[in-house]
Amino acid sequence: MFCKLCFIAVVATSVALKSPVLIWSPSRGLSDLPQSYTGQTINSDDFQQSYVKPLTKDNNLVVFLQDRLSLQDLNHHADVYNPYSDGGAFKNIKSFMEDHFSAQISSVMSPWTGLENIMKDFEGKVHKVMESADLDKLNLGGQANIIVVHLKPVQGSSNEGKVFSDNDVKMAEVTKQLTKRGVKYTAVYTGKSATKTSNVQGSGASRRLQAVDDVANSNATFLNITCPGRNSPFYFYLRGLEVMAQSNESNYNNNNVTLEDDGTSCDNDTAVLKLKGSAEEMTLKLEWSMWIDNITEFWIIRENMVFLEWKNSSKTVSANETLVIKPGDLMAPKHFSYHCSMYKITTLRANSTANITLMFDGLQFQPFNIMDEQFSDGWDCIVFFTPGIWMAIISVSIMILIVLYGLGMIASLKTMDRYDDPKGKTITVNVNE
């Protein structure tokens, strides 16, 4: 239990150090910066080298630094769920991001550390500003500059929305003065941390790492596999495994199988997961070969082999087969983990030695780009259009077609435009035979 609490504390601390970063510039394009994905966390070194360093070349960098900034702050105070919102407490930042070249990174590990490292090696001048009026005293000509604008702290404030709004106005005043002086700049808005230090809870990490919730499950498997030659390990978690097999000689079923590592290997772009499981009179070996597709930037499994041997009475049945992986299954963007609450795979050949079925309960694994000692956000196996959704769409579509057909028939009805007049001449219609 003590180890579990320590692990949760480490995860909670790492979460607290992550902050979003907003970047905008009225004069410089930002297409040379790497694309970041929703849910992806950029580490401090990558942020420093790939995002900040290019912005300091022949350009002035303005850093708006706040003591705390998180995605929850932006969602709560920017009125993001209102389609007609003006940005709430961040109305000026909303205008900057929409009207200028802009980029946003949803999660950066210790962004202030990366910025500090850049300033240590920066060849130009570094200025620290507390108020917008201080800009008039700065000499910004001749070479590149880094201007750090310290914003009013949010921590401890009784009205956080008011603080964010005041800081938003302050950023507008600073950028307005720079524009008035004809200074070309790129602005960065971020925070030193993401959460209130008094409110950090380990439960926030449970979505990322299922093992925290299931430590008490004796059948659960969590593997932290070291990969030589790289800093990122290989994480594998499984809540439970059921093995079913059918052959001409006998059948086998066991829903209490535990797995352990059997010589997994991994490098920067490829990995081979080797697992073995054993139970009474049963031996299971599983091997998944995976690699990163540099074109799609997904990691995928290309080979899936299973060896199963079990005894029934005096007979021993062995099967070494290939398991079927449906297109699009067991794959994820290279910075994500794969997650599935219940995943089923079976053997490929109809004439195989045995028809093997494996039922994975609570499967989550990530072969590449593990950061901060936790799983990245999960790429779930549930597709967007489930069978239930398709049934609803087809049923509603049929009903709409019937209604439209009926309305069309009603609209085509016409009344007679000529009638017989009893006092007038009878209408005669000549018919040629």
Side-chain angles (χ1 to χ4, degrees), residues 4-30:
K4 175 183 176 182
L5 293 176
C6 291
F7 177 79
I8 294 176
V10 170
V11 172
T13 302
S14 65
V15 171
L17 294 176
K18 297 177 184 177
S19 291
V21 176
L22 303 181
I23 306 172
W24 69 89
S25 175
S27 58
R28 182 195 187 280
L30 302 177

Side-chain angles (χ1 to χ4, degrees), residues 20-77:
V21 176
L22 303 181
I23 306 172
W24 69 89
S25 175
S27 58
R28 182 195 187 280
L30 302 177
S31 59
D32 58 324
L33 302 183
Q35 182 180 1
S36 63
Y37 301 95
T38 302
Q40 175 187 356
T41 298
I42 307 296
N43 62 44
S44 183
D45 291 336
D46 288 343
F47 175 66
Q48 172 187 336
Q49 298 297 327
S50 301
Y51 291 89
V52 182
K53 195 171 184 178
L55 301 178
T56 59
K57 296 179 180 179
D58 302 324
N59 195 30
N60 297 294
L61 181 64
V62 183
V63 179
F64 294 105
L65 183 65
Q66 201 158 268
D67 64 329
R68 170 172 66 84
L69 183 67
S70 67
L71 287 178
Q72 288 76 14
D73 293 328
L74 297 175
N75 291 338
H76 182 67
H77 298 288

Side-chain angles (χ1 to χ4, degrees), residues 181-192:
R181 295 178 58 177
V183 177
K184 295 183 178 180
Y185 67 90
T186 300
V188 174
Y189 175 45
T190 188
K192 289 186 177 181

Side-chain angles (χ1 to χ4, degrees), residues 216-319:
N217 185 353
S218 60
N219 292 330
T221 301
F222 176 69
L223 301 177
N224 181 355
I225 303 167
T226 302
C227 299
R230 77 181 199 195
N231 296 327
S232 172
F234 188 130
Y235 277 5
F236 178 90
Y237 175 75
L238 182 65
R239 186 182 299 118
L241 174 64
E242 181 177 3
V243 179
M244 295 169 283
Q246 294 180 342
S247 71
N248 295 330
E249 299 176 346
S250 65
N251 297 334
Y252 181 81
N253 191 338
N254 191 333
N255 60 0
N256 191 26
V257 179
T258 57
L259 297 174
E260 61 183 17
D261 182 35
D262 191 29
T264 298
S265 60
C266 44
D267 55 31
N268 290 331
D269 297 319
T270 61
V272 179
L273 176 65
K274 295 182 179 180
L275 303 172
K276 65 178 179 180
S278 58
E280 186 177 356
E281 298 184 336
M282 185 277 291
T283 300
L284 171 71
K285 292 186 177 182
L286 187 66
E287 181 175 318
W288 290 349
S289 299
M290 56 201 77
W291 63 294
I292 294 179
D293 187 342
N294 291 322
I295 298 178
T296 62
E297 294 192 339
F298 273 66
W299 60 261
I300 60 177
I301 292 182
R302 55 185 176 184
E303 292 182 3
N304 189 356
M305 303 295 296
V306 62
F307 170 79
L308 180 64
E309 181 179 274
W310 74 92
K311 294 181 180 179
N312 187 6
S313 300
S314 59
K315 296 182 179 180
T316 300
V317 182
S318 299

Side-chain angles (χ1 to χ4, degrees), residues 130-427:
M130 300 301 295
E131 300 294 337
S132 57
D134 297 338
L135 285 175
D136 296 333
K137 307 173 185 178
L138 302 181
N139 180 13
L140 302 178
Q143 58 183 338
N145 301 272
I146 295 180
I147 305 171
V148 181
V149 181
H150 291 274
L151 302 174
K152 187 186 299 184
V154 179
Q155 191 72 26
S157 173
S158 59
N159 189 346
E160 294 183 353
K162 180 67 166 55
V163 175
F164 282 118
S165 180
D166 292 343
N167 289 337
D168 180 72
V169 172
K170 184 175 181 178
M171 286 185 274
E173 292 174 352
V174 170
T175 56
K176 185 177 180 179
Q177 287 196 34
L178 293 174
T179 303
K180 186 177 180 179
R181 295 178 58 177
V183 177
K184 295 183 178 180
Y185 67 90
T186 300
V188 174
Y189 175 45
T190 188
K192 289 186 177 181
S193 66
T195 58
K196 300 178 182 178
T197 55
S198 61
N199 264 348
V200 175
Q201 297 179 355
S203 59
S206 61
R207 183 181 173 194
R208 293 282 188 90
L209 183 59
Q210 294 181 357
V212 173
D213 290 334
D214 296 320
V215 169
N217 185 353
S218 60
N219 292 330
T221 301
F222 176 69
L223 301 177
N224 181 355
I225 303 167
T226 302
C227 299
R230 77 181 199 195
N231 296 327
S232 172
F234 188 130
Y235 277 5
F236 178 90
Y237 175 75
L238 182 65
R239 186 182 299 118
L241 174 64
E242 181 177 3
V243 179
M244 295 169 283
Q246 294 180 342
S247 71
N248 295 330
E249 299 176 346
S250 65
N251 297 334
Y252 181 81
N253 191 338
N254 191 333
N255 60 0
N256 191 26
V257 179
T258 57
L259 297 174
E260 61 183 17
D261 182 35
D262 191 29
T264 298
S265 60
C266 44
D267 55 31
N268 290 331
D269 297 319
T270 61
V272 179
L273 176 65
K274 295 182 179 180
L275 303 172
K276 65 178 179 180
S278 58
E280 186 177 356
E281 298 184 336
M282 185 277 291
T283 300
L284 171 71
K285 292 186 177 182
L286 187 66
E287 181 175 318
W288 290 349
S289 299
M290 56 201 77
W291 63 294
I292 294 179
D293 187 342
N294 291 322
I295 298 178
T296 62
E297 294 192 339
F298 273 66
W299 60 261
I300 60 177
I301 292 182
R302 55 185 176 184
E303 292 182 3
N304 189 356
M305 303 295 296
V306 62
F307 170 79
L308 180 64
E309 181 179 274
W310 74 92
K311 294 181 180 179
N312 187 6
S313 300
S314 59
K315 296 182 179 180
T316 300
V317 182
S318 299
N320 193 357
E321 303 295 340
T322 301
L323 295 174
V324 178
I325 300 179
K326 299 178 182 178
D329 283 1
L330 293 180
M331 61 182 295
K334 64 180 183 181
H335 293 286
F336 283 67
S337 65
Y338 178 85
H339 166 256
C340 197
S341 298
M342 187 64 68
Y343 186 72
K344 175 182 177 181
I345 48 179
T346 58
T347 50
L348 177 63
R349 296 181 299 158
N351 58 347
S352 58
T353 305
N355 294 321
I356 303 173
T357 299
L358 303 181
M359 292 289 295
F360 295 90
D361 176 25
L363 172 66
Q364 186 171 15
F365 66 101
Q366 185 174 352
F368 309 103
N369 300 304
I370 292 289
M371 298 178 61
D372 310 328
E373 299 181 353
Q374 61 177 332
F375 280 111
S376 300
D377 283 349
W379 187 266
D380 206 273
C381 60
I382 300 177
V383 295
F384 184 77
F385 288 103
T386 61
I389 293 177
W390 278 117
M391 291 173 62
I393 290 176
I394 294 174
S395 300
V396 172
S397 299
I398 293 175
M399 295 298 296
I400 291 175
L401 290 175
I402 293 174
V403 171
L404 291 177
Y405 179 78
L407 292 175
M409 296 294 291
I410 293 174
S412 65
L413 294 177
K414 295 182 180 179
T415 58
M416 295 178 59
D417 56 355
R418 299 186 65 186
Y419 298 90
D420 284 337
D421 185 359
K423 299 180 180 179
K425 186 177 180 180
T426 303
I427 298 176

